[in-house]
Amino acid sequence: MSRTIRVLIAKPGLDGHDRGAIVVAHALREAGMEVIYTGIRQTPEQIAHAAVQEDVRAVGLSCLSGAHAKLFPKVVALLREKGGDDILIFGGGIIPEEDIPALKKAGIAEIFGPGTRTSAIVEFIQKSVC
Amino acid sequence: MGLAQKIFAHDTRAASRLLSWIEDGDSRASGELREIFPRTGAAYLLGITGAPGAGKSTLTDLLISLYRSRGLIVGVLAVDPSSPFTGGAVLGDRVRMQRHATDAGVFIRSMASRSWPGGLSRAATEAVRVLEAWGCGLVIIETVGVGQNEVEVSRLACTTVLVCAPGAGDRVQAIKAGVTEIADVIALNKADLADVEHAASALEMTLALHPRGEWRPPLVRTIARDGMGVEELAGAIDAHRRFIEGNGTLAEKKREGLKDHLKEIIRRKLHERISGRLPSDGELRSRVAEIQQGLADPYTVAEEIAAKEIMP
Amino acid sequence: MCEDTGGAKRQWRETALKRALEKLGDRSPAAATPSGIPVDFLYDPSDIEGLSYLEELGYPGDYPYTRGVQATMYRSKPWTMRQYAGFGTAEESNARYRYLLAQGQTGLSVAFDLPTQIGYDSDDPLAEGEVGRVGVAIDSIEDMELLFREIPLDRISTSMTINSTAAILIGMYLAVADGRGTGRKLLRGTIQNDILKEYIARGTYIFPPRPSMRIVTDIFSFCGREAPRWNTISVSGYHIREAGATAVQELAFTLADGIAYVEAAVAAGLDVDAFATRVSFFFNAHNALFEEVAKFRAARRMWARIMRERFRAKDPRSLALRFHAQTAGCALTAQQPDNNIVRVTIQALAAVLGGAQSIHTNSRDEALCLPTEESVRIALRTQQIIAEESGVADTADPAGGSYFLEHLTDRLERGAGDYLAKIDAMGGALKAIESGYLQREIHASAYAYQKSVESGGRVIVGLNRHRSDEGDRCPLLRVAPGTEAAQRERLAKLRARRDGRAAARTLAAVETAARGTENLMPPIMEAVKAYATVGEICGRLRAVFGEHRPVSTL
């Protein structure tokens, strides 16, 4: 039986613009995934705890305030601490291209910038977790 | 170390993984469930249901705080519907409860009502045992709407709380025939709204028309948004608990639940044994053609196959 | 209003139009505005049959203000060119403000960072990574003084995009003016102070709705007396639109919020005309030129009627909807960023044709980062070229009378009116927000939009059509990495230097006032002058009011 893919979509930090996160959540649902949305204003700890309780295969982080450089790696580190090494972590929002190598080095698998087709995110998750 | 031992040691990841195995129908689940079974069965199961917009999630969030302050370890299963078309779901109940995410004494799990083998009752029954093995003394199952799922949950739950809110005019959201039969306690939320009196009378009348033996479901007014009425709600739940513990109803309920669960496990075992022997679509094609040509009927064909393939 | 051309148009459809369609086809058979209003091949007098010029349009400066809130419009004075700016420390932002003023900007618009907007000091753990990023970090009145160094508060108008912490920031602004001896009555500007849209679309709320509305009305009352030229609220549709709403939804939900604020103020005992003259609005200026112009005109007409008929306002200034417009950030692309300069031009033109009182034009690098000096200069020049070279500023409501425009204005009014009736039936904007209705409507529009872009049904040049392989580079502004550390140090020094007991006393007074019913502004101003910080003041308010927790709207 093929496992249903569960994904956590979260907004770390103080940024409250959730349009992208919600659109991605709906697109993933349309692709047959179960999406747990945490809402805005999450600390990295809240995100990591939720990801473990929900046993998700992937975590999507959205940040438009520029705090990604600090916060995304924190989420990765906390997840690893909790044994979530196999969780796929991706991100989106306002993230300058030059920040992407450092994020990837810190364990973010992919960054999806403005203009990304939601189908690209769906395919990425499906390919990476199966 | 198997998952069961880790779960007894309060390992969240292990518990979470077993919950996934249960939802996915992974065959590895039954071994672990067998191992945790002896140390479970005492947890109190609280069902919370009601129409969307009535304020369930807010009340659940407040109840978590209340029970935590009493020193309980609390589990929450937040159930939302899956899309009938894509099978996917957006599970947003956590949003309301996320402040408890980092509390080591709370385990929140969002569940989409996919087509679980055995339905919601089976998945929920087993999930509750996992949460209990992890440490929960109380598990809240939150479901939306009033339908088949909710009826199943109310059979499992020790106490079922129905959350209503005043509708436009004197109509109450989710007052449908039969709904009061599942409620042990009714929370009339948004009690600050002008038409709360109408709603209260309509509910009282429905309750009076469908009496359920000795227990008269109390109507508790709450304003979840302001945190009001939660103590009273907990009080009503406590009262129901004392009632069903006192007169043997709880013991009866657990017995029935165990019997249903046993039947479900047996059914599943039999199905596993049989499903390998069901003919494939390809194998059936010629039989279907015969039926279409008027040479046979599906009932006779089925009997032949059963006699030959499944129960020789 | 005009000749009856219905018959002639029908004739035309059946003859010339039909022939042309057969020969050349229709490249857009389901043509509609982005909010779904169908668009015909042509509009003529028959499409605005029954429109009474005097009743529905009138003259600029006269009820119902459809054609403009002021008789001479831009002939006397062009709109205020007010570029939103702020980042890093107060000194860095101050430098940017002086640059912009030197380049011809005519009003200031302050962007605050998220910790300041959400009531956390720069050294709060929750502020980590966020200090100075989306705006300037303001922790205390010292930062405020630096922010406005060498800027004459009596000669410049300042708009502050601040909501949950508006009382503190306007308190600081007034205190800085007091310190300089600048009379409060001379101060001109705006605070956004629109908490409802925070719950709907923007997310920088702190307290639950009821106490938040109390703070809003306290500000109305206090500033109405102390700083009568100050706009105490900018009821905003911009963010609602950015979150995915259509033009109709933007119009409806903004007016619904406006109605809620007026109701709250009246319920708090204020006379309508005592504060409504200082209520202003903030709209989005999006790509579909005519729909946007129609939206602005419909907004004015609807608000004038609402204020007169529903709230019985008498002062004409209470009836005249004044607004700031910002070009749509969500319509810009990261791909081929120079295209954004063109988009912003069209959007700004819509705002001008729509009669905006002030305009912010986005920079081309909006989708990538905060704007560089060069990008923001181009954005400013865009407004200046429209003002000086296009001729549209020489006459009021130049597009008025266009059959298409008047038809759209009516349709937008009707669509928004339907929503308002629904929201009223729910008990008003606050109830509609608490039930998640507005949010769900917006999410649905956002998702539909995304799907139409991905299917190609909606074309975005450079993104899903006319793409190019050239790199999408443009020089980016980086917020100086030392901001967070600098602010921490500054806070430590402030706390060491100030009179700790005085600060504590004033904070206790804020808390007492919050528990009671007296106006919060005076105690907040005392606290601010005693060097209490934004985080400290909000900490007290949080203790009394609690924090808002959002409903799940999915």
Side-chain angles (χ1 to χ4, degrees), chain A residues 13-17 19 22-23 26-27 30 37 40-41 43 65-67 70-71 74 94 96-99 114-119, chain C residues 114-115 118 126 128-130 133-134 202-205 242-244 330 335 367-368 443 446-447 449-451 454 463 473 476 478 554:
Chain A
L14 302 179
D15 164 43
H17 297 96
R19 174 178 182 171
I22 289 177
V23 163
H26 282 112
E30 255 185 51
Y37 178 55
I40 65 172
R41 234 185 271 182
T43 61
S65 69
K70 261 279 162 64
L71 299 178
K74 264 204 164 176
I94 302 283
E97 237 178 84
E98 46 231 55
D99 289 0
T116 304
R117 302 172 63 89
T118 52
S119 50
Chain C
L114 285 171
I118 302 180
L126 291 169
E128 198 187 354
E130 307 271 12
R133 293 218 168 261
V134 308
R202 191 167 178 270
T204 70
Y205 46 75
E242 291 291 296
C330 61
Q335 295 72 16
L368 298 169
H443 296 163
Y447 196 56
Y449 176 90
Q450 183 68 20
K451 295 190 75 171
E454 294 191 14
L463 184 68
R473 304 223 144 273
L476 294 182
R478 308 296 317 223
L554 295 170

Coordinates of all heavy atoms in Angstrom, one line a residue, chain A residues 13-17 19 22-23 26-27 30 37 40-41 43 65-67 70-71 74 94 96-99 114-119, chain C residues 114-115 118 126 128-130 133-134 202-205 242-244 330 335 367-368 443 446-447 449-451 454 463 473 476 478 554:
Chain A
G13 N 9.2 32.5 12.6 CA 9.5 34.0 12.7 C 8.2 34.8 12.8 O 7.1 34.3 12.9
L14 N 8.4 36.1 12.7 CA 7.3 37.0 12.9 C 6.5 37.4 11.6 O 5.5 38.1 11.7 CB 7.9 38.3 13.5 CG 8.6 38.1 14.9 CD1 9.1 39.4 15.4 CD2 7.7 37.4 15.9
D15 N 7.0 37.0 10.5 CA 6.3 37.4 9.2 C 4.9 36.8 9.2 O 4.7 35.6 9.4 CB 7.2 36.9 8.0 CG 6.4 36.8 6.7 OD1 5.7 37.8 6.5 OD2 6.5 35.9 6.0
G16 N 4.0 37.6 8.8 CA 2.6 37.2 8.8 C 2.0 37.0 7.4 O 0.8 36.7 7.3
H17 N 2.8 37.1 6.4 CA 2.2 36.9 5.0 C 2.1 35.5 4.7 O 3.0 34.8 4.3 CB 3.1 37.6 4.0 CG 3.2 39.1 4.2 ND1 4.2 39.7 4.9 CD2 2.4 40.1 3.9 CE1 4.1 41.0 5.0 NE2 2.9 41.3 4.4
R19 N -0.1 34.0 2.3 CA -0.7 33.7 1.0 C 0.0 32.5 0.3 O -0.6 31.5 -0.1 CB -0.7 34.9 0.1 CG -1.2 34.6 -1.3 CD -1.2 35.8 -2.2 NE -1.8 35.5 -3.5 CZ -2.0 36.5 -4.4 NH1 -1.9 37.7 -4.1 NH2 -2.5 36.1 -5.6
I22 N -0.4 29.1 2.2 CA -1.7 28.5 2.0 C -2.0 28.0 0.6 O -2.6 27.0 0.4 CB -2.8 29.6 2.4 CG1 -2.7 29.8 3.9 CG2 -4.2 29.2 2.0 CD1 -3.6 30.8 4.5
V23 N -1.5 28.8 -0.4 CA -1.6 28.3 -1.8 C -0.9 27.0 -2.0 O -1.4 26.0 -2.6 CB -1.1 29.4 -2.8 CG1 -0.9 28.8 -4.1 CG2 -2.1 30.5 -2.9
H26 N -2.8 24.1 -0.4 CA -4.0 23.6 -1.2 C -3.5 22.8 -2.4 O -4.1 21.8 -2.8 CB -4.8 24.8 -1.6 CG -5.7 25.3 -0.6 ND1 -5.6 26.5 0.1 CD2 -6.8 24.7 0.0 CE1 -6.5 26.6 1.0 NE2 -7.3 25.6 1.0
A27 N -2.4 23.2 -3.0 CA -1.9 22.5 -4.1 C -1.4 21.1 -3.7 O -1.6 20.1 -4.5 CB -0.7 23.3 -4.8
E30 N -4.4 18.9 -3.4 CA -4.9 18.5 -4.7 C -4.1 17.4 -5.3 O -4.6 16.7 -6.1 CB -5.0 19.7 -5.6 CG -6.4 20.2 -5.8 CD -6.6 21.3 -6.8 OE1 -6.2 21.1 -7.9 OE2 -7.2 22.3 -6.4
Y37 N -0.9 22.4 8.6 CA -0.5 23.8 8.6 C -0.4 24.3 10.0 O -1.4 24.1 10.7 CB -1.4 24.6 7.7 CG -1.1 26.1 7.7 CD1 0.2 26.6 7.3 CD2 -2.0 27.1 8.1 CE1 0.5 27.9 7.2 CE2 -1.7 28.4 8.0 CZ -0.5 28.8 7.6 OH -0.2 30.2 7.6
I40 N 0.9 31.0 11.5 CA 2.1 32.0 11.4 C 2.7 32.0 12.8 O 2.2 31.5 13.8 CB 1.7 33.4 11.0 CG1 0.7 34.0 12.0 CG2 1.0 33.3 9.6 CD1 0.4 35.5 11.7
R41 N 3.8 32.7 12.8 CA 4.5 33.1 14.1 C 4.9 31.9 14.9 O 4.6 31.7 16.1 CB 3.7 34.0 14.9 CG 4.4 35.3 15.3 CD 3.6 36.2 16.2 NE 2.8 37.1 15.4 CZ 2.0 38.0 16.0 NH1 2.0 38.1 17.3 NH2 1.3 38.8 15.3
T43 N 7.9 29.4 16.4 CA 9.3 29.3 16.7 C 9.9 28.0 16.1 O 9.1 27.0 15.8 CB 9.6 29.2 18.2 OG1 8.9 28.0 18.7 CG2 9.0 30.4 19.0
S65 N 10.4 37.8 5.6 CA 10.9 38.9 6.3 C 12.5 39.0 6.2 O 13.0 39.9 6.7 CB 10.5 38.9 7.7 OG 11.2 37.8 8.4
G66 N 13.1 38.0 5.6 CA 14.6 38.0 5.6 C 15.2 37.3 6.8 O 16.4 37.2 6.9
A67 N 14.3 36.7 7.6 CA 14.9 36.0 8.8 C 15.2 34.6 8.5 O 15.7 33.8 9.4 CB 13.9 36.1 9.9
K70 N 18.7 33.0 9.6 CA 18.8 32.6 11.0 C 17.9 31.4 11.3 O 18.3 30.4 12.0 CB 18.3 33.7 11.9 CG 19.4 34.6 12.5 CD 20.1 33.9 13.8 CE 21.4 34.6 14.1 NZ 21.3 36.0 14.5
L71 N 16.7 31.4 10.9 CA 15.7 30.5 11.4 C 15.6 29.2 10.7 O 15.4 28.1 11.3 CB 14.3 31.2 11.3 CG 14.1 32.4 12.2 CD1 12.8 33.1 12.0 CD2 14.4 32.1 13.6
K74 N 18.0 26.7 12.0 CA 17.6 26.3 13.3 C 16.6 25.1 13.3 O 16.7 24.2 14.1 CB 17.0 27.4 14.1 CG 18.0 28.2 14.9 CD 17.2 28.9 16.0 CE 18.2 29.4 17.1 NZ 17.7 30.2 18.1
I94 N 10.8 35.2 0.4 CA 11.7 36.2 -0.2 C 13.1 35.8 0.2 O 13.5 36.2 1.3 CB 11.4 37.6 0.2 CG1 9.9 38.0 -0.2 CG2 12.3 38.6 -0.4 CD1 9.7 38.3 -1.6
P96 N 17.0 35.8 -1.2 CA 17.9 36.1 -2.3 C 18.7 34.9 -2.7 O 19.1 34.1 -1.9 CB 18.8 37.2 -1.7 CG 18.1 37.7 -0.5 CD 17.2 36.6 0.0
E97 N 19.0 34.8 -4.1 CA 19.7 33.7 -4.6 C 21.0 33.5 -3.9 O 21.4 32.3 -3.7 CB 19.9 33.9 -6.1 CG 19.4 32.8 -6.9 CD 19.6 33.1 -8.4 OE1 20.6 32.8 -8.9 OE2 18.6 33.6 -9.0
E98 N 21.7 34.5 -3.5 CA 23.0 34.3 -2.9 C 22.9 33.7 -1.6 O 24.0 33.2 -1.1 CB 23.8 35.6 -2.9 CG 23.0 36.8 -2.3 CD 23.1 38.0 -3.2 OE1 22.8 37.8 -4.4 OE2 23.4 39.0 -2.7
D99 N 21.8 33.6 -1.0 CA 21.6 33.0 0.4 C 21.4 31.5 0.2 O 21.5 30.7 1.2 CB 20.4 33.6 1.1 CG 20.7 35.0 1.6 OD1 21.8 35.5 1.3 OD2 19.8 35.6 2.3
P114 N 9.8 33.2 -5.7 CA 8.5 33.7 -6.3 C 8.4 33.3 -7.7 O 9.4 33.3 -8.5 CB 8.7 35.3 -6.2 CG 9.9 35.5 -5.3 CD 10.7 34.2 -5.3
G115 N 7.2 33.0 -8.2 CA 7.0 32.5 -9.5 C 7.1 31.0 -9.7 O 6.9 30.5 -10.8
T116 N 7.5 30.3 -8.7 CA 7.5 28.9 -8.8 C 6.1 28.3 -9.1 O 5.2 28.7 -8.5 CB 8.0 28.2 -7.5 OG1 9.3 28.8 -7.1 CG2 8.2 26.7 -7.6
R117 N 6.1 27.3 -9.9 CA 4.8 26.6 -10.1 C 4.6 25.7 -9.0 O 5.5 25.0 -8.6 CB 4.8 25.9 -11.5 CG 5.1 26.7 -12.7 CD 5.3 25.8 -13.9 NE 4.1 25.1 -14.2 CZ 3.1 25.5 -15.0 NH1 3.2 26.7 -15.5 NH2 2.1 24.7 -15.2
T118 N 3.4 25.6 -8.5 CA 3.2 24.7 -7.4 C 3.4 23.2 -7.8 O 3.8 22.4 -7.0 CB 1.7 24.8 -6.8 OG1 0.8 24.7 -7.9 CG2 1.5 26.1 -6.1
S119 N 3.2 22.9 -9.1 CA 3.4 21.6 -9.6 C 4.9 21.2 -9.4 O 5.2 20.0 -9.2 CB 3.0 21.4 -11.1 OG 3.6 22.5 -11.8
Chain C
L114 N 9.6 43.9 12.1 CA 8.5 43.1 12.7 C 8.6 43.2 14.2 O 7.5 43.3 14.8 CB 8.6 41.7 12.1 CG 8.1 41.6 10.7 CD1 8.3 40.2 10.1 CD2 6.6 41.9 10.6
P115 N 9.7 43.1 14.8 CA 9.7 43.2 16.3 C 9.0 44.5 16.8 O 8.2 44.4 17.7 CB 11.2 43.1 16.7 CG 11.8 42.3 15.6 CD 11.1 42.8 14.4
I118 N 5.3 44.2 16.3 CA 4.6 43.2 17.1 C 5.0 43.3 18.6 O 4.6 42.5 19.5 CB 5.0 41.7 16.6 CG1 4.6 41.7 15.1 CG2 4.3 40.6 17.3 CD1 4.8 40.3 14.5
L126 N 12.4 36.3 20.6 CA 11.5 36.2 19.5 C 11.9 37.1 18.3 O 11.4 37.0 17.2 CB 10.1 36.4 19.9 CG 9.5 35.3 20.8 CD1 8.2 35.7 21.4 CD2 9.3 34.0 20.0
E128 N 14.9 37.4 17.2 CA 16.1 37.0 16.6 C 16.0 36.8 15.1 O 15.0 36.2 14.6 CB 16.5 35.6 17.2 CG 18.0 35.3 16.9 CD 18.4 33.9 17.4 OE1 17.5 33.3 18.0 OE2 19.5 33.6 17.1
G129 N 16.9 37.4 14.3 CA 16.8 37.2 12.9 C 16.0 38.3 12.2 O 16.0 38.4 11.0
E130 N 15.1 39.0 13.0 CA 14.1 39.9 12.4 C 14.5 41.4 12.5 O 13.8 42.2 11.9 CB 12.8 39.6 13.0 CG 12.3 38.2 13.1 CD 11.5 37.8 11.8 OE1 11.5 38.6 10.8 OE2 10.9 36.7 11.8
R133 N 15.0 44.2 9.5 CA 14.9 43.6 8.2 C 13.8 44.1 7.3 O 14.1 44.6 6.2 CB 14.7 42.0 8.4 CG 15.9 41.4 8.9 CD 16.2 40.0 8.3 NE 17.5 39.6 8.7 CZ 18.6 39.7 7.9 NH1 18.5 40.2 6.7 NH2 19.7 39.3 8.4
V134 N 12.6 44.1 7.8 CA 11.5 44.7 6.9 C 11.3 46.1 7.1 O 10.4 46.8 6.5 CB 10.2 43.9 7.0 CG1 10.5 42.4 6.8 CG2 9.5 44.1 8.2
R202 N -2.7 40.4 7.4 CA -1.3 40.9 7.5 C -0.5 40.2 8.6 O 0.7 40.1 8.6 CB -1.2 42.4 7.6 CG 0.1 43.0 7.4 CD 0.0 44.5 7.2 NE 1.3 45.1 7.1 CZ 2.0 45.6 8.2 NH1 1.5 45.5 9.4 NH2 3.2 46.1 8.0
G203 N -1.2 39.9 9.7 CA -0.6 39.1 10.7 C 0.2 39.8 11.8 O 0.9 39.1 12.5
T204 N 0.2 41.1 11.9 CA 1.1 41.7 13.0 C 0.2 42.1 14.2 O 0.5 43.0 14.9 CB 1.9 42.9 12.5 OG1 1.0 44.0 12.3 CG2 2.7 42.6 11.3
Y205 N -0.9 41.3 14.4 CA -1.7 41.6 15.6 C -1.0 41.2 16.9 O 0.0 40.4 16.8 CB -3.0 40.8 15.5 CG -2.8 39.4 15.1 CD1 -2.3 38.4 16.0 CD2 -3.1 38.9 13.8 CE1 -2.1 37.1 15.7 CE2 -2.9 37.6 13.5 CZ -2.4 36.7 14.4 OH -2.2 35.4 14.0
E242 N -3.1 42.1 -1.5 CA -1.9 41.3 -1.6 C -2.1 39.9 -1.2 O -1.4 39.0 -1.7 CB -0.8 42.0 -0.8 CG -0.3 43.3 -1.3 CD 0.5 43.2 -2.6 OE1 1.5 42.6 -2.6 OE2 0.0 43.8 -3.6
A243 N -3.0 39.7 -0.3 CA -3.2 38.3 0.2 C -4.0 37.5 -0.8 O -4.2 36.3 -0.6 CB -4.0 38.4 1.6
G244 N -4.5 38.1 -1.9 CA -5.1 37.3 -2.9 C -6.5 37.8 -3.2 O -7.1 37.2 -4.2
C330 N 2.3 42.3 -5.3 CA 2.0 40.9 -5.7 C 2.0 40.7 -7.2 O 2.0 39.6 -7.7 CB 0.7 40.4 -5.1 SG -0.7 41.3 -5.5
Q335 N 11.3 37.4 -12.1 CA 11.9 37.2 -13.4 C 11.8 38.4 -14.2 O 10.8 39.1 -14.3 CB 11.1 36.1 -14.1 CG 11.1 34.7 -13.5 CD 10.3 34.6 -12.2 OE1 9.5 35.4 -11.9 NE2 10.6 33.5 -11.4
A367 N 10.3 41.9 -5.6 CA 10.2 40.5 -5.4 C 11.5 39.8 -4.9 O 11.5 38.6 -4.5 CB 9.7 39.8 -6.6
L368 N 12.5 40.6 -4.8 CA 13.8 40.0 -4.5 C 14.3 40.5 -3.1 O 14.9 39.7 -2.4 CB 14.9 40.4 -5.6 CG 14.6 39.9 -7.0 CD1 15.5 40.5 -8.0 CD2 14.7 38.4 -7.0
H443 N -8.5 33.4 0.5 CA -7.7 32.2 0.2 C -8.3 31.6 -1.1 O -7.5 31.2 -2.0 CB -7.8 31.1 1.3 CG -7.2 31.6 2.6 ND1 -7.5 30.9 3.8 CD2 -6.4 32.6 2.9 CE1 -6.8 31.5 4.8 NE2 -6.2 32.5 4.3
A446 N -7.1 33.6 -3.9 CA -5.6 33.4 -4.1 C -5.3 32.1 -4.8 O -4.5 32.1 -5.7 CB -4.9 33.4 -2.8
Y447 N -6.0 31.1 -4.4 CA -5.8 29.8 -5.1 C -6.3 29.8 -6.5 O -5.6 29.2 -7.4 CB -6.5 28.7 -4.3 CG -6.0 27.3 -4.6 CD1 -4.6 27.0 -4.6 CD2 -6.8 26.3 -5.1 CE1 -4.1 25.8 -4.9 CE2 -6.3 25.1 -5.5 CZ -5.0 24.8 -5.4 OH -4.5 23.6 -5.7
Y449 N -6.4 32.3 -8.5 CA -5.4 33.1 -9.2 C -4.2 32.2 -9.6 O -3.7 32.2 -10.7 CB -5.0 34.3 -8.4 CG -3.9 35.1 -9.0 CD1 -4.2 36.2 -9.9 CD2 -2.5 34.9 -8.8 CE1 -3.2 37.0 -10.4 CE2 -1.5 35.6 -9.4 CZ -1.9 36.7 -10.2 OH -0.9 37.4 -10.8
Q450 N -3.7 31.5 -8.6 CA -2.5 30.7 -8.8 C -2.7 29.6 -9.9 O -1.9 29.4 -10.8 CB -2.1 30.0 -7.5 CG -0.8 29.1 -7.6 CD 0.4 30.0 -7.8 OE1 0.4 31.2 -7.5 NE2 1.5 29.4 -8.3
K451 N -3.9 29.0 -9.8 CA -4.2 28.0 -10.8 C -4.3 28.6 -12.2 O -3.9 28.0 -13.2 CB -5.5 27.3 -10.5 CG -5.3 26.5 -9.2 CD -6.5 25.6 -8.9 CE -6.4 24.3 -9.8 NZ -7.5 23.4 -9.4
E454 N -0.8 29.1 -13.5 CA -0.2 27.9 -13.9 C -0.8 27.2 -15.1 O -0.1 26.5 -15.9 CB -0.2 26.9 -12.7 CG 0.7 27.5 -11.5 CD 1.0 26.5 -10.4 OE1 0.7 25.3 -10.6 OE2 1.4 26.9 -9.4
L463 N 7.0 35.5 -17.0 CA 6.9 34.4 -16.1 C 6.3 33.1 -16.8 O 6.9 32.1 -16.9 CB 6.0 34.8 -14.9 CG 5.8 33.7 -13.9 CD1 7.1 33.5 -13.1 CD2 4.7 34.1 -12.9
R473 N 19.2 39.2 -12.7 CA 19.9 39.8 -11.6 C 19.6 41.3 -11.5 O 19.4 41.9 -12.5 CB 21.4 39.6 -11.9 CG 21.8 38.2 -12.1 CD 23.1 37.9 -11.4 NE 23.1 36.6 -10.8 CZ 22.6 36.3 -9.6 NH1 22.1 37.3 -8.9 NH2 22.5 35.1 -9.2
L476 N 21.3 43.9 -5.3 CA 20.3 43.8 -4.1 C 20.8 44.6 -2.9 O 22.0 44.7 -2.7 CB 20.2 42.4 -3.7 CG 19.5 41.4 -4.7 CD1 19.4 40.1 -4.1 CD2 18.1 42.0 -5.1
R478 N 21.4 44.7 0.9 CA 21.5 43.8 2.1 C 21.5 44.7 3.3 O 22.2 45.7 3.5 CB 22.9 43.1 2.1 CG 23.2 42.4 0.8 CD 22.3 41.3 0.4 NE 21.9 40.4 1.5 CZ 21.8 39.1 1.4 NH1 22.1 38.5 0.3 NH2 21.4 38.4 2.4
L554 N -8.7 27.2 7.4 CA -8.6 26.4 6.2 C -9.7 25.4 6.0 O -10.2 24.9 7.0 CB -7.2 25.6 6.3 CG -6.0 26.6 6.2 CD1 -4.8 25.9 6.6 CD2 -5.9 27.2 4.8

